[in-house]
Amino acid sequence: MSIIKSKTLLYRNFGDPQKVLELTEVEVSTTPGDGEVLVEWLASPINPLDINRIMGQYIIKGDPPIIGGSEGIGRVVKTGPNSKFHINDHVTIFSSETPFWTEFGIVSDDELQKIDNRISIDLAATIMVNPPTAWLMIHKYVKLSKGDFIIQNSANSGVGRSCIEIAKAAGFKTINIVRNRENIEELKTELWKLGADHVFTEEEFAKGAREFIKTLPSRPKLALNGVGGRSVLQISSVLERGGMCITYGGMSKKAHEFSTSALVFNDITVKGIAVGMWARLPESQKDWAECLEEVQKLAVSGEITAIPMEKTSLDDYRKAFGKAMGQGRSVKQLFVIKNEAAGNAKI
Amino acid sequence: MFKSFSTVTIARRCISARQLVYEGYGNPPEAIQLKTIEIPDKLNSEQVLVKWIAAPINPADLNQIQGVYPVKPKLPAVGGNEGFGRVEQIGSGVKGLKVGDFVIPNKSGLGTWRELGVHGENDVFPIDNELPLEYAAVFQVNPPTAYRMLKDFIDLKPGDTVIQNGANSAVGKQVIQICRILGVKTVNVVRNRENLSDLVAELTKLGATDVITEEDLYGRKKKFKGVKLALNCVGGRSSLFLASVLDHGGSMVTYGGMSKQPVQSPTGPLIFKDISLRGFWMSRWYDIQKTPQKRLEMYSDLAKWMKSGEMAKQDFVEKSINQHSAALDEAQTKFDKKQLFVLG
């Protein structure tokens, strides 16, 4: 049985990622067993979740040493007996505790999800959480017709951008709320280019919402919330009677607020979604399979695109974490672990 | 030739009746006026003459007179949305009602603070004829609100737990009693007060499983398991903690906002425990019923529990129609007991 050295970013203690992370090498067998494959990891982002996990602040802690990563894309380089995968298949693992920040790994078929090879590596590395969250919220809660309005806060986030694209692909209109910032006009233009119909800062919307909503042919039926606090009060209060507000995050770390009269007199429903938990329930399997198929179709057709990310390498992890954890807004960091075009000399 | 003319007097007999009317929105004790009107005793074929017996003053009535309630009757309007009366006469085409039936308004906005009313057959709805006045006068809103919130959102099983704030409100007390009858446990949150032990004793007697103060709730002094349903009429911090004790898949139903603060929920239960937040408004429920089936079933359950004494009578301060301005004033300032007009 031959062994290869796999460059790996791992941590042996919980704490500040820049201090506890360690770039090292682990040994990986190049002989996958029955129903297993050898995967070469291509790319994996640094998500906020990764930082929480490394700091020991996530619900599931795990036992160090732990190889980092929560999302990513790889390529099958060797298949074991009876594996259903083929060499060069693009694959990912749908789990928040998965060792992506390493060059190679042996993974069993059961854990792997095939991803269409035509999808760019950037998008494929971030396709299992944000776009499905957006797709499910838009397609599985409220029956919308073409031309119906969706309102969302956090429109600039990964999920927010996916919502803009997925709504546009389905013929729904989006009203997008973002926080004010220096380059606000640039951001608005960027979101318009993605397909946003209306973009407002929180302050603009607070001032002009009433008048603006009156100009619409119908009020929004769906509100999508990644922020909480007053921001969700703002978007849920303009919903159509019987409308739905779905929460997928609470970035403001404030309690989610809803107006009593929207609930009582306007009959809105408030729900939440955590795709990582939902997708593992037996009763979700049919919808989850449909969601992954539809999201990949949209990715292949170019109707959903990768969010802006800065490419980096495992070697530069300190710098990458410095940016990922830095003050102010920084672009998401993506570890490019292997440049696929370069081929593989090691095996 | 002498022509004699027979003089035909259209002698339509009329009955005079008093009613409490508002012609414009304003502060209820001033906006409401006592008026005497003449009611023709000849009915159209689809009409009924109802002698109103008793009608309460509810917060919604006051809001309506202030002009801040979503249902706005055409002015001038007779005040009052709840109450009961007895059918005195029926028009020739009336099929669903007979003389002697007890009736309540079919929906809000009818105007119940009056001695007599001529109403369309479909503007009133029959209830059990043997209900004592104290039950019949407040049959339409609070007991059905409690009943529907316990039936329509979560399929409650005996042994499940419901948590509610404002447990001491009229709806809160109905919730306690219906849960007791259904074998469902209740955790009842009340505001701390001087005579807390009296209140705890009162609610326990009605069937409350637990009575805790808001401070107990915020301090998480006690853990509650299997909480499927939370009923919120307060909002703000109280609703935040109610939402946070819900079990996986549970629901918080809001039916009021006494604190005037928005309803709140933490992120965790929303996204990881799949809870949902809903609202309930009794008037809308009545409006959207396409058949009377569910309403009849509910009224039959409630009347049965009331007549058997399983549900207790509410306490009132009884007032005559002449005492309207004192009654309306007290309704706005004294919240411990409901004001009830006894009309006939």
Side-chain angles (χ1 to χ4, degrees):
Chain A
M1 188 167 89
S2 54
I3 296 284
I4 39 167
K5 301 261 188 202
S6 174
K7 189 192 287 180
T8 299
L9 194 53
L10 56 74
Y11 51 103
R12 299 177 197 278
N13 296 297
F14 297 112
D16 179 351
Q18 280 174 298
K19 292 189 183 129
V20 299
L21 280 171
E22 184 184 319
L23 189 63
T24 180
E25 283 186 329
V26 298
E27 292 188 336
V28 175
S29 156
T30 58
T31 318
D34 195 64
E36 290 180 341
V37 297
L38 177 65
V39 177
E40 176 184 47
W41 295 110
L42 302 171
S44 171
I46 303 177
N47 285 327
L49 168 67
D50 295 311
I51 295 166
N52 289 341
R53 273 182 71 208
I54 298 167
M55 296 181 86
Q57 292 166 352
Y58 193 63
I59 317 169
I60 309 154
K61 274 195 152 185
D63 288 319
I66 297 170
I67 299 173
S70 54
E71 233 189 332
I73 188 74
R75 182 174 71 98
V76 173
V77 289
K78 210 166 178 186
T79 56
N82 300 314
S83 169
K84 63 179 183 189
F85 290 95
H86 302 99
I87 289 176
N88 284 332
D89 278 353
H90 280 183
V91 288
T92 186
I93 304 175
F94 184 56
S95 161
S96 58
E97 306 152 72
T98 304
F100 286 108
W101 298 346
T102 183
E103 286 178 299
F104 296 98
I106 298 273
V107 190
S108 100
D109 275 18
D110 308 337
E111 291 180 69
L112 284 177
Q113 166 72 40
K114 190 175 178 321
I115 297 293
D116 195 304
N117 275 46
R118 291 170 292 179
I119 299 170
S120 76
I121 295 304
D122 299 21
L123 181 52
T126 52
I127 205 165
M128 292 298 282
V129 180
N130 289 349
T133 299
W135 191 90
L136 289 165
M137 292 194 296
I138 289 171
H139 288 289
K140 289 290 167 187
Y141 286 84
V142 174
K143 180 97 190 78
L144 297 172
S145 312
K146 279 201 182 353
D148 280 348
F149 285 86
I150 297 170
I151 186 164
Q152 65 164 342
N153 57 26
S154 193
N156 180 35
S157 67
V159 173
R161 286 167 180 258
S162 290
C163 286
I164 293 173
E165 294 180 316
I166 289 168
K168 184 181 162 65
F172 309 143
K173 308 263 185 211
T174 55
I175 302 161
N176 300 279
I177 318 289
V178 294
R179 271 181 304 178
N180 201 4
R181 61 197 71 205
E182 265 179 28
N183 57 345
I184 183 67
E185 288 309 316
E186 256 171 68
L187 176 62
K188 283 185 177 182
T189 307
E190 206 181 321
L191 298 184
W192 283 323
K193 278 187 186 158
L194 279 183
D197 294 280
H198 305 276
V199 187
F200 299 102
T201 64
E202 288 178 346
E203 295 74 21
E204 286 167 348
F205 194 73
K207 248 188 249 163
R210 203 180 264 263
E211 289 307 308
F212 167 71
I213 293 294
K214 274 191 208 155
T215 67
L216 300 178
S218 64
R219 292 173 22 147
K221 294 198 169 98
L222 183 62
L224 308 176
N225 165 43
V227 180
R230 289 271 140 165
S231 173
V232 61
L233 183 72
Q234 212 176 32
I235 61 170
S236 60
S237 296
V238 300
L239 281 171
E240 174 86 47
R241 173 165 293 184
M244 169 91 70
C245 177
I246 309 172
T247 294
Y248 61 89
M251 248 172 25
S252 71
K253 302 210 193 295
K254 291 190 179 128
H256 301 261
E257 298 190 348
F258 305 93
S259 100
T260 302
S261 68
L263 282 161
V264 174
F265 298 130
N266 231 7
D267 197 25
I268 69 162
T269 297
V270 175
K271 295 188 77 77
I273 181 173
V275 88
M277 286 184 79
W278 173 87
R280 284 179 182 80
L281 302 174
E283 62 267 30
S284 309
Q285 292 317 303
K286 195 169 150 270
D287 283 346
W288 180 229
E290 182 195 356
C291 171
L292 287 181
E293 195 186 325
E294 292 301 317
V295 163
Q296 290 188 67
K297 273 191 209 162
L298 292 168
V300 170
S301 67
E303 287 167 284
I304 60 175
T305 57
I307 58 167
M309 289 185 283
E310 183 177 343
K311 289 180 183 166
T312 182
S313 66
L314 292 181
D315 296 319
D316 282 335
Y317 74 92
R318 281 213 172 85
K319 216 166 115 192
F321 270 89
K323 288 182 183 171
M325 298 175 71
Q327 293 300 310
R329 296 176 184 89
S330 62
V331 67
K332 195 194 269 279
Q333 302 291 305
L334 180 72
F335 288 125
V336 176
I337 301 166
K338 177 78 184 183
N339 188 340
E340 200 182 14
N344 186 355
K346 277 191 174 174
I347 298 172
Chain B
M1 234 165 68
F2 191 81
K3 224 178 193 175
S4 76
F5 291 95
S6 65
T7 46
V8 180
T9 41
I10 305 167
R12 222 181 193 185
R13 281 195 305 126
C14 283
I15 323 162
S16 66
R18 293 177 301 168
Q19 53 188 26
L20 295 173
V21 181
Y22 58 110
E23 288 169 348
Y25 300 125
N27 183 31
E30 292 133 34
I32 285 287
Q33 296 170 302
L34 182 63
K35 299 245 164 154
T36 301
I37 58 149
E38 301 295 315
I39 291 176
D41 74 345
K42 181 98 172 64
L43 298 174
N44 291 340
S45 65
E46 311 298 329
Q47 286 180 326
V48 295
L49 176 70
V50 175
K51 180 175 167 54
W52 290 94
I53 299 170
I57 303 178
N58 286 324
D61 302 327
L62 300 172
N63 292 339
Q64 209 164 45
I65 299 163
Q66 289 155 354
V68 296
Y69 198 67
V71 178
K72 295 187 167 67
K74 224 174 103 188
L75 300 182
V78 176
N81 291 287
E82 194 178 26
F84 87 110
R86 184 177 176 279
V87 175
E88 296 290 308
Q89 281 180 44
I90 60 172
S92 57
V94 170
K95 294 199 181 66
L97 293 171
K98 55 186 190 305
V99 171
D101 278 354
F102 279 6
V103 291
I104 62 175
N106 190 34
K107 51 170 81 172
S108 63
L110 187 69
T112 52
W113 299 343
R114 59 169 110 209
E115 290 175 326
L116 281 175
V118 174
H119 305 288
E121 177 185 4
N122 295 325
D123 291 336
V124 292
F125 196 94
I127 60 166
D128 192 295
N129 254 26
E130 293 160 17
L131 269 185
L133 178 144
E134 295 87 343
Y135 291 112
V138 286
F139 192 73
Q140 189 187 354
V141 183
N142 291 340
T145 298
Y147 183 98
R148 294 260 64 101
M149 291 196 298
L150 294 170
K151 293 271 183 185
D152 292 351
F153 296 91
I154 295 284
D155 184 18
L156 291 170
K157 305 266 189 317
D160 285 344
T161 299
V162 172
I163 190 166
Q164 64 167 341
N165 56 25
N168 171 32
S169 68
V171 171
K173 288 178 184 170
Q174 309 283 343
V175 166
I176 293 172
Q177 298 178 81
I178 296 173
C179 282
R180 189 200 71 227
I181 294 164
L182 299 175
V184 170
K185 296 175 190 156
T186 52
V187 178
N188 299 280
V189 185
V190 295
R191 270 178 302 178
N192 204 356
R193 60 195 73 208
E194 269 180 25
N195 55 348
L196 181 67
S197 58
D198 292 351
L199 179 59
V200 173
E202 185 194 344
L203 299 186
T204 305
K205 199 175 162 209
L206 290 177
T209 319
D210 275 289
V211 183
I212 61 172
T213 63
E214 287 179 335
E215 291 71 30
D216 294 338
L217 178 69
Y218 303 157
R220 299 176 193 274
K221 279 191 186 157
K222 223 172 155 182
K223 295 262 181 279
F224 299 103
K225 281 189 182 161
V227 183
K228 298 282 166 56
L229 181 65
L231 303 178
N232 165 46
C233 65
V234 177
R237 199 163 177 222
S238 178
S239 56
L240 180 73
F241 279 84
L242 241 54
S244 70
V245 303
L246 279 174
D247 226 8
H248 194 97
S251 196
M252 177 162 78
V253 180
T254 292
Y255 64 99
M258 273 183 337
S259 73
K260 308 225 189 273
Q261 299 295 310
V263 177
Q264 295 186 346
S265 170
T267 304
L270 266 177
I271 71 177
F272 294 122
K273 286 165 97 182
D274 196 26
I275 68 162
S276 54
L277 312 186
R278 306 290 303 273
F280 183 74
W281 187 21
M282 198 64 229
S283 297
R284 187 185 53 243
W285 187 89
Y286 281 132
D287 281 348
I288 62 176
Q289 297 309 302
K290 294 204 171 65
T291 69
Q293 197 53 42
K294 275 187 164 178
R295 188 167 179 174
L296 290 167
E297 273 170 31
M298 169 171 72
Y299 282 3
S300 151
D301 279 349
L302 290 170
K304 184 180 73 191
W305 297 333
M306 289 170 180
K307 286 195 292 183
S308 68
E310 287 174 280
M311 290 180 78
K313 283 178 187 171
Q314 276 192 62
D315 284 336
F316 300 103
V317 181
E318 295 189 2
K319 290 278 187 342
S320 73
I321 200 165
N322 289 325
Q323 297 168 294
H324 60 93
S325 86
L328 289 162
D329 187 56
E330 284 172 36
Q332 293 193 113
T333 50
K334 295 183 187 166
F335 304 111
D336 52 336
K337 275 184 190 165
K338 201 187 272 282
Q339 303 288 315
L340 183 75
F341 288 121
V342 178
L343 302 159

